[in-house]
Amino acid sequence: MSKTIAILAPGAMGSAVARRLNEHGARVLTSLKGRSEATLKRAADAGMVGAEDEAIADADIILSIVPPGEAVALAERLASLIVRREKKPVVVDCNAVNVDTVQRIEEIIGSAQAPFVDAGIIGFPPQRGGKSPAFYMSGEHAKDVAVLKDLGLDVRIVEGPVGAASALKMSYAGIVKGLAGIGSAMVIAATKAGAADALRDELALSQPAILARLEVALPDMIPKAYRWVAEMREISGFLGPDHPASQIYEGFARWFEHLAEDAKGEAADVALMKAFAASIARKQTLGRLL
Amino acid sequence: MSKTIAILAPGAMGSAVARRLNEHGARVLTSLKGRSEATLKRAADAGMVGAEDEAIADADIILSIVPPGEAVALAERLASLIVRREKKPVVVDCNAVNVDTVQRIEEIIGSAQAPFVDAGIIGFPPQRGGKSPAFYMSGEHAKDVAVLKDLGLDVRIVEGPVGAASALKMSYAGIVKGLAGIGSAMVIAATKAGAADALRDELALSQPAILARLEVALPDMIPKAYRWVAEMREISGFLGPDHPASQIYEGFARWFEHLAEDAKGEAADVALMKAFAASIARKQTLGRLL
């Protein structure tokens, strides 16, 4: 019998995951109340079916895929729907939230007697025919959603309780997005001080892997910086308020806020990031020609 | 005629540079007043000759190689020695200081009418027979110290005024040491949350170059963390107090302070860093065997 999966909300990641599940025969529901025309279209294109709260609560699995700041409120809304039902869906929190937050969400869902899974998504939204991002899952009910593997998602079990998958997501993002953060700050500062070419050349000699990463990461991060602000605050919370490294991630949140504002404003700093990435590419081409 | 180079102070980098210059026929002076037995021995082993201030002021070139917090005080001491001399040595500041600081040092040395060069050292102290770290140099007098190239140092000119070489040093260290900072913080936090193996495996799949870098950087940084504290504060100053990214580097200073204390104390966190690096190595060996 075909499975029914509810995905909230139909954002870029949520709708791409929905399309993948739909292509593999699942029925995918979502909530479209009060959403914009663009969202309605994106959901329809992905084969998502708009549904009332009752139908969503009747799904076999509910995937929560929202910005980190909305994860707790969505869990509370889901718990209030589920608590009255006989049959309980498995609720999977896929959000970039810290360990404390996901444990709080586990309690909220647990108060409605529904099984709960902690998940962390690493990678880009699945493209038509392309590979799935990794869905790391932890907690005793992680095995209950193994069907998602048959439905085209790259499900990977992390041994450990609720919190382990989120800890993986936090620490991975803290390294990869953190490198984009320090790279962008230093490239812009070096450029303003007239040292950009020397920095590029020294990295090419002594740290070519980091330079190759910056060539990809610098242009890639510009449209995403605004989303990373809340994620950096989650990582700071993952470390804890008194942790000696949490200030680093508060700093990243502030820096990405600046880049996001710059990107939609005069785009002065983001232009320097793009120019540096382009100069890496040019230098490499030149190197191959010589 | 053989050149006389004065190097202050005879620390790990200063004495290794002295040995290299000495091997290439230079006479290398230093100041040994009030130094420890260990320093006297290290200086002697490197072929450095203890000299009075007058003799140091008579050198052809003076290299300032001290912890960043001591650079300005040393410049003031040198200026007071040089101002009374007829023949002026070229003074080269090789320290990890920010652009504002090196410009202040330029003014101090300029007040004694001596030519000044901004330099930034990237790489490890030269080992006997091994390669030299890169000595990036900027400012109009950078060409005046070209002789250092003949004396076995890897001198590289950065086009630009005093400040350009320091900007390169700051931005390079901000990326490479910053990556060590975020990597150590996230590896320790992931290990405590039970997600270390999953983090290692996901990095191996999606970011192998970053993982390879962490394998080297995590154990390597432990004995250096205490020296990096002041350097991170210089990088914060390089960005400027109101810069939206300066808090990141204040955070790194605090984090490295914690690691330095941990390393000389119970070594709990540094043990987790070493264990993670060892597990990368083990996994790779296993991968090659299978």
Side-chain angles (χ1 to χ4, degrees), chain A residues 134-218:
Chain A
F135 281 74
Y136 285 94
M137 306 227 178
S138 72
E140 56 171 320
H141 293 288
K143 60 185 182 329
D144 300 354
V145 292
V147 65
L148 293 173
K149 207 160 193 163
D150 306 324
L151 294 174
L153 298 188
D154 180 2
V155 175
R156 303 181 194 177
I157 304 296
V158 184
E159 296 302 329
V162 164
S166 286
L168 168 62
K169 169 72 183 175
M170 293 283 98
S171 53
Y172 181 86
I175 292 172
V176 176
K177 294 173 185 169
L179 177 56
I182 54 181
S184 53
M186 290 296 108
V187 158
I188 292 166
T191 305
K192 288 177 178 172
D197 288 354
L199 175 63
R200 180 200 60 207
D201 294 348
E202 174 58 37
L203 286 170
L205 281 172
S206 60
Q207 298 290 351
I210 294 180
L211 190 68
R213 178 75 211 134
L214 292 180
E215 184 184 353
V216 176
L218 292 178

Side-chain angles (χ1 to χ4, degrees), chain A residues 136 156 172 202 205-206, chain B residues 136 156 172 182 202 205-206:
Chain A
Y136 285 94
R156 303 181 194 177
Y172 181 86
E202 174 58 37
L205 281 172
S206 60
Chain B
Y136 285 94
R156 304 182 194 176
Y172 181 87
I182 54 180
E202 174 57 37
L205 282 172
S206 61

Side-chain angles (χ1 to χ4, degrees), chain A:
Chain A
M1 207 191 80
S2 127
K3 289 282 174 185
T4 301
I5 319 283
I7 298 183
L8 301 169
M13 179 65 83
S15 60
V17 170
R19 182 195 292 124
R20 174 60 51 98
L21 297 174
N22 193 256
E23 286 167 352
H24 284 75
R27 199 166 147 253
V28 186
L29 307 181
T30 192
S31 180
L32 293 171
K33 230 177 298 174
R35 303 303 302 241
S36 69
E37 273 303 312
T39 301
L40 296 185
K41 185 175 181 317
R42 181 168 54 212
D45 286 349
M48 300 174 100
V49 178
E52 295 302 311
D53 286 353
E54 300 286 293
I56 285 171
D58 269 341
D60 297 298
I61 297 170
I62 302 179
L63 303 181
S64 165
I65 305 179
V66 289
E70 299 174 19
V72 171
L74 175 57
E76 282 166 348
R77 186 182 144 206
L78 291 175
S80 73
L81 297 180
I82 294 166
V83 71
R84 288 169 279 137
R85 319 295 296 183
E86 186 80 20
K87 177 181 155 275
K88 308 285 184 182
V90 185
V91 176
V92 186
D93 182 283
C94 303
N95 304 306
V97 293
N98 77 45
V99 175
D100 287 353
T101 307
V102 82
Q103 284 168 346
R104 200 171 136 215
I105 291 173
E106 179 185 28
E107 274 177 39
I108 293 166
I109 299 299
S111 72
Q113 293 87 47
F116 179 73
V117 177
D118 176 21
I121 305 176
I122 293 181
F124 298 107
Q127 298 296 309
R128 219 182 283 268
K131 68 174 189 164
S132 163
F135 281 74
Y136 285 94
M137 306 227 178
S138 72
E140 56 171 320
H141 293 288
K143 60 185 182 329
D144 300 354
V145 292
V147 65
L148 293 173
K149 207 160 193 163
D150 306 324
L151 294 174
L153 298 188
D154 180 2
V155 175
R156 303 181 194 177
I157 304 296
V158 184
E159 296 302 329
V162 164
S166 286
L168 168 62
K169 169 72 183 175
M170 293 283 98
S171 53
Y172 181 86
I175 292 172
V176 176
K177 294 173 185 169
L179 177 56
I182 54 181
S184 53
M186 290 296 108
V187 158
I188 292 166
T191 305
K192 288 177 178 172
D197 288 354
L199 175 63
R200 180 200 60 207
D201 294 348
E202 174 58 37
L203 286 170
L205 281 172
S206 60
Q207 298 290 351
I210 294 180
L211 190 68
R213 178 75 211 134
L214 292 180
E215 184 184 353
V216 176
L218 292 178
D220 177 68
M221 71 189 287
I222 295 169
K224 297 175 182 169
Y226 80 98
R227 278 200 277 121
W228 291 4
V229 175
E231 194 169 341
M232 292 298 119
R233 298 226 161 89
E234 286 295 325
I235 296 172
S236 177
F238 165 56
L239 292 169
D242 300 324
H243 191 286
S246 58
Q247 195 187 356
I248 299 168
Y249 288 90
E250 293 295 331
F252 282 133
R254 197 174 158 215
W255 174 239
F256 291 144
E257 217 157 45
H258 163 78
L259 287 183
E261 277 165 28
D262 182 61
K264 68 178 184 193
E266 50 181 327
D269 281 352
V270 303
L272 302 183
M273 290 161 61
K274 286 182 191 169
F276 189 84
S279 102
I280 302 170
R282 259 201 317 278
K283 187 88 179 186
Q284 283 172 339
T285 309
L286 198 65
R288 278 194 296 271
L289 291 176
L290 292 178

Side-chain angles (χ1 to χ4, degrees), chain B:
Chain B
M1 207 192 78
S2 130
K3 289 282 172 185
T4 301
I5 319 283
I7 298 184
L8 301 171
M13 178 64 82
S15 60
V17 170
R19 183 195 291 124
R20 174 62 48 98
L21 298 174
N22 193 256
E23 285 167 355
H24 285 75
R27 198 166 149 253
V28 186
L29 308 181
T30 191
S31 180
L32 294 171
K33 230 176 300 175
R35 303 304 300 242
S36 69
E37 274 302 315
T39 301
L40 296 184
K41 188 177 179 316
R42 181 168 54 213
D45 287 351
M48 299 174 99
V49 178
E52 295 302 312
D53 285 354
E54 300 287 292
I56 285 171
D58 269 343
D60 298 297
I61 297 170
I62 301 179
L63 303 181
S64 165
I65 306 181
V66 288
E70 299 173 19
V72 170
L74 175 57
E76 282 165 349
R77 189 183 142 206
L78 291 175
S80 73
L81 297 180
I82 294 166
V83 71
R84 289 168 279 136
R85 320 295 294 183
E86 186 79 21
K87 176 181 154 273
K88 308 287 185 182
V90 186
V91 176
V92 185
D93 182 284
C94 303
N95 303 306
V97 292
N98 77 46
V99 175
D100 287 353
T101 307
V102 82
Q103 284 168 346
R104 199 170 136 214
I105 292 173
E106 179 185 28
E107 273 176 40
I108 294 166
I109 299 300
S111 73
Q113 293 87 46
F116 179 74
V117 177
D118 176 21
I121 305 176
I122 293 181
F124 298 107
Q127 298 297 306
R128 220 182 281 269
K131 68 172 188 165
S132 162
F135 281 74
Y136 285 94
M137 307 228 178
S138 71
E140 57 170 321
H141 294 287
K143 61 184 181 331
D144 299 355
V145 293
V147 65
L148 294 173
K149 207 160 194 165
D150 306 325
L151 294 172
L153 298 188
D154 179 3
V155 175
R156 304 182 194 176
I157 304 297
V158 184
E159 296 302 329
V162 163
S166 286
L168 167 62
K169 169 72 183 174
M170 293 283 100
S171 53
Y172 181 87
I175 292 172
V176 177
K177 294 173 184 170
L179 177 56
I182 54 180
S184 53
M186 290 296 108
V187 158
I188 292 167
T191 305
K192 288 177 178 172
D197 288 353
L199 175 62
R200 178 200 61 208
D201 294 348
E202 174 57 37
L203 287 170
L205 282 172
S206 61
Q207 297 290 350
I210 294 180
L211 190 68
R213 178 76 211 131
L214 292 180
E215 184 185 353
V216 176
L218 293 178
D220 176 69
M221 71 189 288
I222 296 168
K224 298 176 182 167
Y226 82 97
R227 278 200 275 118
W228 291 4
V229 174
E231 194 168 341
M232 292 299 119
R233 298 227 161 88
E234 286 294 327
I235 296 173
S236 176
F238 165 56
L239 292 169
D242 300 325
H243 191 285
S246 59
Q247 194 188 357
I248 300 168
Y249 288 90
E250 293 294 332
F252 282 132
R254 195 172 160 218
W255 174 239
F256 292 144
E257 216 156 46
H258 162 79
L259 287 182
E261 277 165 28
D262 182 61
K264 69 177 183 191
E266 50 182 327
D269 281 352
V270 302
L272 302 183
M273 289 161 61
K274 285 182 190 169
F276 188 85
S279 103
I280 302 170
R282 260 201 316 280
K283 186 88 179 188
Q284 282 172 338
T285 309
L286 197 65
R288 277 192 298 269
L289 291 174
L290 292 177

